[in-house]
Amino acid sequence: MAAQRARDRRPTMADVAAHVGVSRALVSLVFRNEPGASDETREKVFAAARELGYRPDNAARLLARSRSKVLGVMLTVRNMFHADLVEGIYPIAEQLGYEILLSAALPPLRDEPKVIEALLGHRCEGLILLGGHLEAGYIAELGKRVPAVVVGRRFPGAPVDSVHVAEAKGVRLIIDHLVDLGHSSILLIDGGDEAGAAERRRAYKAAMRRHGLGERIRVLPGDHTEDSGAQAARTLLSGGRELPTAVFASNDRCALGFMDSIRRAGFDVPGDVSVVGYDDSHLARLSHIDLTTVGQDPVRQAELAVHAVVERLNDPDLDPREIVLQPKLVVRGSSGPPKVR
């Protein structure tokens, strides 16, 4: 019975040490990747761990340290730009000696405050918040509890850092590009309350007025999903009005949904309507999509966000910082001169 219980219980570090014939302290050094064990001993320890099915208890290791050295990242699973940011976060965090813990917002089942509390419950000592719909009051209180940086949104006056591109400049580049091609009927599919959407909406209207096109301003409701782009296409096709010659979608996902629906209805992009997005996601670069869009340099944003939260961990008295990157217009095949009608 004793032998059966030994087989049934979870193997421990002491079991690994006994199997190799070394002390538990030496095994602990190996799993912490600290000096003190030869390469041969390390190989024996790892081999024994595999044989016994032992896995280091990372939670216990974190509790044993005065600092967790873990940064929590809140993201939205289906947001392609968030995926690009996460890819950029990991290498710079590792370089600075931090581990990353991801947690996804899935409203309404898992709202953003719940995600944040879960990250803090796992002893994340700093937070990187990608976009989101958090209210300014919540962010202000959160910044008093834990070092945090928000990517893609601004919270003036809150004790958090923010990293984002100059949204208005990105939109000006889009409208200037379309006007230079000869477009005057340029419609915006709005991003609703998504990150950057309000700034893009204001900038669209301002840019249209700057080109003397104030009377041609036209905005359809939407959000940053493919479904909203598809719905905008259906609305335009069923409205009985002439299609605009160009559509600016508030992000790439929305642009992709619009392009798919408008092409299924028999229209050509850019022959019948030019389409421009925002983000320069990986899908935008595929040859059969070839989307004109605005690049936000997610790798650089990720690098700046990690540095910002680590610097605030090292110096909590730093004044809040707003770090602004310059956008870049990426012209591809989805935009061209308007068709003569």
Side-chain angles (χ1 to χ4, degrees):
M1 288 293 291
Q4 180 64 43
R5 284 195 299 270
R7 286 194 299 270
D8 290 343
R9 69 177 175 82
R10 182 178 177 180
T12 66
M13 194 178 295
D15 295 327
V16 176
H19 193 82
V20 179
V22 297
S23 69
R24 184 187 181 283
L26 187 58
V27 172
S28 179
L29 286 176
V30 171
F31 284 121
R32 296 202 308 272
N33 197 29
E34 295 182 3
S38 67
D39 291 342
E40 182 182 359
T41 299
R42 290 178 184 276
E43 287 299 322
K44 288 181 179 179
V45 167
F46 290 134
R50 289 192 295 270
E51 182 179 340
L52 297 174
Y54 171 76
R55 291 180 178 274
D57 190 338
N58 290 327
R61 280 171 41 216
L62 293 179
L63 288 171
R65 299 196 304 218
S66 59
R67 287 183 57 178
S68 71
K69 300 289 284 186
V70 175
L71 302 177
V73 178
M74 181 189 79
L75 74 157
T76 302
V77 172
R78 294 187 180 181
N79 190 312
M80 293 181 290
F81 187 62
H82 287 186
D84 292 341
L85 287 166
V86 168
E87 284 188 358
I89 285 171
Y90 269 100
I92 190 65
E94 183 173 349
Q95 179 183 326
L96 295 175
Y98 285 81
E99 298 178 24
I100 294 297
L101 181 63
L102 302 177
S103 192
L106 300 167
L109 298 176
R110 199 165 191 265
D111 63 16
E112 289 161 343
K114 186 173 182 179
V115 170
I116 289 171
E117 293 306 320
L119 290 170
L120 294 177
H122 284 86
R123 298 189 72 233
C124 293
E125 56 182 22
L127 298 177
I128 300 173
L129 309 177
L130 308 185
H133 303 84
L134 294 165
E135 296 180 355
Y138 179 89
I139 287 290
E141 291 302 314
L142 179 66
K144 298 174 184 177
R145 297 171 56 195
V146 61
V149 58
V150 183
V151 180
R153 283 189 182 272
R154 301 171 59 249
F155 290 94
V160 299
D161 297 318
S162 65
V163 177
H164 61 90
V165 297
E167 301 282 2
K169 181 176 180 180
V171 174
R172 286 198 301 272
L173 292 172
I174 289 171
I175 302 304
D176 289 351
H177 167 66
L178 292 172
V179 170
D180 287 345
L181 287 172
H183 295 277
S184 58
S185 177
I186 305 169
L187 176 142
L188 169 67
I189 306 176
D190 190 32
D193 62 353
E194 303 284 356
E199 290 88 346
R200 295 170 198 178
R201 179 169 58 250
R202 287 193 294 267
Y204 159 77
K205 294 178 179 179
M208 291 287 283
R209 295 189 183 102
R210 184 166 58 86
H211 283 287
L213 300 174
E215 293 183 356
R216 307 297 297 271
I217 290 173
R218 190 177 175 194
V219 180
L220 285 182
D223 56 38
H224 286 175
T225 66
E226 295 87 352
D227 287 345
S228 72
Q231 179 57 52
R234 289 193 291 269
T235 298
L236 288 174
L237 294 172
S238 64
R241 295 174 59 182
E242 188 175 58
L243 280 176
T245 62
V247 168
F248 162 38
S250 189
N251 82 332
D252 286 355
R253 290 181 64 189
C254 180
L256 295 177
F258 179 84
M259 289 172 66
D260 179 66
S261 290
I262 209 76
R263 282 170 168 163
R264 287 174 183 270
F267 292 89
D268 180 66
V269 176
D272 294 306
V273 56
S274 287
V275 180
V276 181
Y278 206 108
D279 283 343
D280 194 22
S281 61
H282 290 297
L283 289 180
R285 305 166 201 171
L286 296 177
S287 59
H288 68 286
I289 294 175
D290 206 24
L291 178 66
T292 295
T293 184
V294 169
Q296 299 195 66
D297 199 349
V299 172
R300 182 60 177 157
Q301 287 199 54
E303 179 182 348
L304 291 169
V306 174
H307 274 291
V309 73
V310 170
E311 288 167 8
R312 187 161 296 283
L313 279 165
N314 294 331
D315 185 0
D317 295 326
L318 282 175
D319 290 332
R321 294 160 295 178
E322 183 177 353
I323 304 168
V324 184
L325 283 74
Q326 295 304 307
K328 178 183 178 181
L329 180 68
V330 183
V331 178
R332 298 194 179 97
S334 68
S335 60
K339 185 177 182 179
V340 177
R341 297 179 178 177

